[in-house]
Amino acid sequence: MLPTQSRATAPDRRKLLKLAAAAAGTLWLPRSAWSQPRWPRDPFALGVASGSPAHDSVVLWTRLLPGEPLHGPVTLRWEVAHDEGFSRLARSGQVQALPELAHAVHAEVTGLAPDRWYFYRFMAGDAVSPTGRTRTFPAPDANPGRLRLGYASCQRWEHGFYSAWHHMRAEDLDAVLFLGDYIYEYPGAVNAVRSVTGGWVLTLDDYRQRYALHKSDANLQAMHAVCPWLVTWDDHEVQNDYAGLQEGNGVLGMGTVPDFAARRAAAYQAYYEHMPLRASVLTQALAGLARGAEMRIYRQVPFGRLASLYLLDARQYRDRQPCLKDGKPGGSLVDPAHCADWGDPQRSYLGREQELWLNDALARSGGRWNVIGQQTLLGMRDARPGPGQRLWNDGWDGYAAARTRLTDTLRHKHVANPVVLGGDVHENWVGHIKADYADAASPSVGVEFCGTSITSRAGGVAQVAERLAENPHFVFADAQYRGYGVVEFTPAQLSTTLRAVEDVTNPASGVKTLARFAVASGRPVIERA
């Protein structure tokens, strides 16, 4: 167990971020500097991971957790090879695991060949990590024939076992898009399948320990080691339904703290420590500390000319939800006809700076497919049958003007083949992105696949058919099953397969195909495959 650290002041935090950036680079130290020659326990108990792939580089991650406190820096060696036996090394180097970052490392390996699979491992003294497999993406001017992505979200520990990750390993993926709620901040759950350690997650040490718990799962570790991940967060990495620097819901003393900005900063640091992210997500935020932006995780990733991937951040910069129920923070169903702020064009879901970045990136995209990975359901979902509406104010529905700005960009900039992937709702929803959701005849400007959860329970199983009928721009919905999605892109079409775990409470559960869909390039119409 690592000691709890107190909240850093702004100058201290600047020092920490600069330290993280320096630690991500390759070191060249003499053999005498290789510390901890023998370990009482395996220091790689949390496994390895890779992520943030580019055409010539990738980030390799691990965190030392030997079962006893580490007090100083530890030097690790890493190797990247063409073969699993590491007889043909492509790159190698050294990196330091620092106590200020929970002895997590982010080795940014450069100089790799494009569109190539590699194997990697870490070494610390006499200990050798599990072997991971990763890849670079094609060069920006290349014309790859296929991109195969897994997308997933919402893996609450207490609600089930991670058998979905076990089955995803067999999907032959190029990368995983994880779309939020990697951990949950709660102290437990009713009818828990397995127990969490600790209570409410509030401090930096709490967040570190909750990540360590999740990453102790063998199926999750194995999936991290199969291919690179692209990640973004949602709310539970900090607190349920938080908005920018506004706290989410909770009772004082039960999930809340006096200084929410400090809690969020601790949560963001722990997120960086446990994800295969580039140090630039920290250094780009240095100038924004005064306005509370600790990490810039939104970004564009090209996969040759076949696809452009956009990872969005719908939590850090958003305005507070409109028309809070009884004035209490957090999400709720709202009748927009009785909410004066509902259509306010000044309100933003992504924040003005991110909106402008996304508009410019979409307008300049050269990808045949433009794939937006974000947290939740984009399309309007009315929960009231018949006349009138009840809409969820914590999602895109609560920021309708911002959604219209996005769909206007897709239309007016003639963005090629927009595809939105989401999570959060613990249900599968498949539908058409509309220019105007109030007009049933409005043209489709793209398609969306909002995925179910890895384990987190759904609450609306009985209402799915009713809600599907009320919102005809959706063509499929299911709340019964947990699982993940696989989407494959070729120049001619995309195909999406929804995979469902048969019993999330069974660690040896099987998996089945729930549904398949296809969309032809140049025609934003979803066909059942």
Side-chain angles (χ1 to χ4, degrees):
M1 181 182 298
L2 296 172
T4 303
Q5 295 185 5
S6 60
R7 180 167 66 98
T9 62
D12 290 336
R13 187 160 177 78
R14 288 181 182 273
K15 181 179 178 180
L16 179 68
L17 300 187
K18 291 177 179 178
L19 191 64
T26 297
L27 298 172
W28 293 104
L29 300 177
R31 180 177 291 271
S32 61
W34 297 355
S35 52
Q36 296 288 349
R38 300 191 64 82
W39 299 89
R41 288 189 189 178
D42 178 13
F44 298 109
L46 299 185
V48 299
S50 70
S52 304
H55 71 280
D56 58 356
S57 63
V58 71
V59 175
L60 307 181
W61 174 92
T62 193
R63 177 188 169 192
L64 297 178
L65 197 70
E68 61 183 38
L70 293 170
H71 300 291
V74 179
T75 302
L76 281 73
R77 293 163 286 151
W78 55 263
E79 293 179 341
V80 175
H82 296 286
D83 64 307
E84 196 168 4
F86 291 86
S87 63
R88 295 186 297 121
L89 291 184
R91 288 287 186 273
S92 63
Q94 300 165 26
V95 66
Q96 281 201 309
L98 303 174
E100 295 89 345
L101 293 170
H103 289 95
V105 299
H106 302 73
E108 298 189 15
V109 182
T110 60
L112 300 174
D115 204 6
R116 186 78 58 85
W117 284 97
Y118 293 96
F119 296 91
Y120 65 94
R121 65 185 179 185
F122 292 92
M123 291 157 284
D126 64 341
V128 180
S129 76
T131 296
R133 182 171 176 260
T134 191
R135 66 160 299 162
T136 53
F137 279 5
D141 60 350
N143 291 293
R146 189 196 81 161
L147 167 61
R148 189 169 170 85
L149 298 174
Y151 63 96
S153 63
C154 304
Q155 51 177 11
R156 189 166 175 181
W157 180 269
E158 316 95 286
H159 284 182
F161 295 99
Y162 291 168
S163 52
W165 294 124
H166 170 75
H167 293 293
M168 190 188 281
R169 291 176 62 195
E171 298 287 359
D172 188 27
L173 301 177
D174 291 299
V176 169
L177 266 64
F178 193 84
L179 300 173
D181 294 344
Y182 193 96
I183 64 165
Y184 281 71
E185 80 282 19
Y186 299 136
V190 177
N191 300 320
V193 176
R194 49 183 178 172
S195 299
V196 296
T197 53
W200 285 100
V201 177
L202 303 172
T203 68
L204 177 56
D205 189 55
D206 294 338
Y207 284 106
R208 286 171 169 173
Q209 294 194 46
R210 189 58 57 89
Y211 277 105
L213 174 68
H214 283 63
K215 284 183 171 290
S216 70
D217 186 275
N219 287 326
L220 178 58
Q221 283 189 25
M223 191 60 228
H224 268 297
V226 165
C227 65
W229 284 40
L230 294 157
V231 298
T232 187
W233 54 35
D234 195 17
D235 52 344
H236 290 289
E237 286 87 354
V238 181
Q239 183 194 30
N240 182 51
D241 289 354
Y242 85 94
L245 283 167
Q246 304 293 326
E247 68 177 348
N249 57 12
V251 180
L252 186 62
M254 299 177 63
T256 64
V257 294
D259 188 344
F260 179 74
R263 179 186 184 179
R264 196 187 80 162
Y268 283 9
Q269 177 177 333
Y271 184 83
Y272 173 75
E273 290 172 351
H274 292 86
M275 295 294 142
L277 291 166
R278 296 177 184 272
S280 60
V281 304
L282 299 174
T283 57
Q284 288 177 353
L286 285 173
L289 284 174
R291 61 177 186 273
E294 279 84 12
M295 285 176 59
R296 178 181 165 176
I297 64 169
Y298 63 87
R299 60 205 181 277
Q300 179 183 6
V301 183
F303 192 87
R305 292 178 176 173
L306 178 62
S308 288
L309 311 178
Y310 309 85
L311 273 293
L312 303 187
D313 175 357
R315 284 292 166 186
Q316 185 171 188
Y317 310 104
R318 66 156 68 183
D319 291 311
R320 175 176 269 187
Q321 302 91 342
C323 299
L324 300 177
K325 186 176 181 180
D326 300 325
K328 297 178 181 179
S332 61
L333 286 170
V334 172
D335 181 350
H338 296 90
C339 178
D341 294 335
W342 197 264
D344 183 354
Q346 301 301 315
R347 299 181 65 255
S348 179
Y349 192 56
L350 302 176
R352 176 174 173 78
E353 184 175 336
Q354 186 179 185
E355 276 196 38
L356 293 174
W357 166 84
L358 180 61
N359 291 345
D360 183 65
L362 288 169
R364 295 171 178 268
S365 172
R368 180 180 292 270
W369 298 92
N370 286 276
V371 186
I372 300 174
Q374 47 84 59
Q375 286 69 20
T376 191
L377 198 66
L378 178 68
M380 185 182 73
R381 188 174 63 167
D382 181 10
R384 172 179 286 170
Q389 291 180 316
R390 286 183 66 81
L391 302 175
W392 186 247
N393 68 347
D394 187 58
W396 281 99
D397 277 342
Y399 302 78
R403 179 173 58 198
T404 298
R405 290 194 292 272
L406 174 57
T407 55
D408 283 350
T409 294
L410 299 179
R411 281 196 304 159
H412 301 322
K413 301 297 184 181
H414 306 290
V415 177
N417 295 313
V419 180
V420 173
L421 303 177
D424 177 58
V425 297
H426 309 171
E427 303 171 2
N428 277 302
W429 285 80
V430 177
H432 297 100
I433 301 169
K434 292 290 190 175
D436 181 0
Y437 286 96
D439 180 4
S442 177
S444 172
V445 298
V447 297
E448 75 168 310
F449 298 91
C450 187
T452 186
S453 59
I454 290 291
T455 57
S456 303
R457 296 168 185 158
V461 176
Q463 293 81 33
V464 165
E466 187 177 69
R467 291 185 179 182
L468 192 58
E470 185 67 23
N471 300 277
H473 44 276
F474 290 108
V475 301
F476 177 86
D478 176 84
Q480 182 176 354
Y481 291 102
R482 317 279 67 80
Y484 58 90
V486 176
V487 56
E488 180 172 304
F489 301 90
T490 69
Q493 70 168 22
L494 75 76
S495 58
T496 299
T497 303
L498 307 183
R499 299 283 277 163
V501 173
E502 293 170 351
D503 181 3
V504 75
T505 67
N506 178 4
S509 175
V511 70
K512 65 181 181 180
T513 294
L514 193 61
R516 289 191 178 95
F517 305 93
V519 178
S521 177
R523 186 171 180 264
V525 177
I526 300 169
E527 304 284 355
R528 192 72 178 256

